[in-house]
Amino acid sequence: MPPASGTDRDADDLLDDLETVRERCGSVTTACEYECHSGETFGGRWRGVALADLLASADPETTHVRAVSADGYCVPVPVAVALEAIVATERLDDPPSADDGDAATATETDDGGPGLPRLVGEAIEGSWTVRDIVRLEAVSLPANADTEPCYVDDLADALDESSPSSDDDRTEVVG
């Protein structure tokens, strides 16, 4: 069954409110570590906006926060978990480099950067640490919806319609 799009026909991009919410509520910091599907760990110290603050005006029927990355990776995070997360806009420590001898965590993005904005938090599973977020929306998914991470077929369509696909062969998930 393909991932459900839920009742998001009026879904607003929460990223549109990021700076306004930061000005109103301030920034928060967190340190967290994740285990990748490979068994390796990565993590860091981050500063950003509390997702709970971004969700303050969301529909009370919201069940998930859908994050879509620049490469089309898409994941619906349960709202109960998302309330403990932040949308990181700064990395406060230096990511490991290949020179440190830890090639598995040497780069978090193709260009070696931290992949900001990024969804992070202590309760966020490794596969939910979406980096390079281009869309973030509050959605109401039915109880039987497929909530596995996936890739969208056409990123332009996803940004307009949020229509995910289960095509996993584009890039390897970090986390």
Side-chain angles (χ1 to χ4, degrees):
M1 167 174 24
S5 62
T7 57
D8 59 339
R9 58 188 170 280
D10 297 322
D12 292 322
D13 188 349
L14 297 172
L15 290 180
D16 292 344
D17 297 329
L18 193 64
E19 289 308 314
T20 302
V21 171
R22 182 194 318 270
E23 289 172 12
R24 189 178 71 241
C25 301
S27 294
V28 295
T29 61
T30 190
C32 37
E33 190 171 274
Y34 303 99
E35 184 173 327
C36 294
H37 66 283
S38 67
E40 299 292 330
T41 59
F42 73 97
R45 290 186 54 241
W46 312 88
R47 181 182 357 247
V49 175
L51 197 45
D53 293 337
L54 285 168
L55 289 169
S57 61
D59 184 325
E61 299 296 315
T62 297
T63 62
H64 292 76
V65 173
R66 181 182 299 131
V68 180
S69 72
D71 70 354
Y73 184 65
C74 177
V75 63
V77 178
V79 73
V81 174
L83 289 172
E84 301 298 321
I86 72 169
V87 177
T89 54
E90 297 175 72
R91 182 162 184 164
L92 301 176
D93 57 355
D94 292 326
S97 69
D99 295 336
D100 294 334
D102 191 0
T105 59
T107 59
E108 294 189 41
T109 63
D110 292 339
D111 65 3
L116 300 171
R118 185 175 194 141
L119 187 62
V120 297
E122 291 182 31
I124 298 292
E125 294 179 11
S127 64
W128 294 346
T129 60
V130 178
R131 61 184 184 213
D132 295 316
I133 298 173
V134 294
R135 184 159 183 89
L136 191 65
E137 55 194 8
V139 296
S140 298
L141 299 179
N144 64 345
D146 182 1
T147 58
E148 290 298 312
C150 62
Y151 283 88
V152 292
D153 285 329
D154 183 340
L155 187 55
D157 286 345
L159 297 178
D160 291 335
E161 303 170 19
S162 301
S163 55
S165 161
S166 59
D167 183 6
D168 286 349
D169 61 354
R170 296 194 185 160
T171 59
E172 186 175 334
V173 176
V174 175

